Amino acid sequence: MDGQGSEAMAMRSGNEPVTARSPLRLRFWLSLWGLIWAAAGAAAFSLVGRPGWAAACAVVAVLAAVDLAVVIHHIHQGPHYQPGPDIPPYEPPRRR
């Protein structure tokens, strides 16, 4: 074997963290799922007289709601330019 393999490997440019794309739809559904369960947990724990657990669930519900708002904002911004596979890799910017 010549070490190159039969599959073409994509070249890495070294800037992947800068150009990475987030799966916003998955994050939307996970945030919604977390918001529903945390709100239900807060309601259930407050009904059974567990204020500490109810407060913890309420905090998680608020965090999920904020994340959901951020995700919706990013989805509404629309797609941003992302270089395709036909764009050659480029050198990352050099720090001074």
Side-chain angles (χ1 to χ4, degrees):
M1 205 173 240
D2 61 355
Q4 290 182 344
S6 62
E7 295 180 26
M9 298 284 290
M11 292 181 64
R12 294 182 55 121
S13 62
N15 68 337
E16 283 81 9
V18 175
T19 58
R21 293 174 57 182
S22 174
L24 291 175
R25 302 265 183 228
L26 175 64
R27 195 168 147 202
F28 170 82
W29 290 111
L30 290 174
S31 294
L32 186 62
W33 181 256
L35 177 63
I36 291 169
W37 278 100
F45 280 123
S46 56
L47 286 175
V48 297
R50 301 290 239 162
W53 284 104
C57 286
V59 167
V60 171
V62 167
L63 290 174
V66 168
D67 186 49
L68 194 59
V70 169
V71 169
I72 290 172
H73 174 71
H74 284 295
I75 289 173
H76 283 234
Q77 281 182 329
H80 299 290
Y81 170 74
Q82 295 291 326
D86 56 331
I87 306 295
Y90 55 90
E91 291 291 319
R94 292 194 175 15
R95 306 250 185 229
R96 291 184 181 210

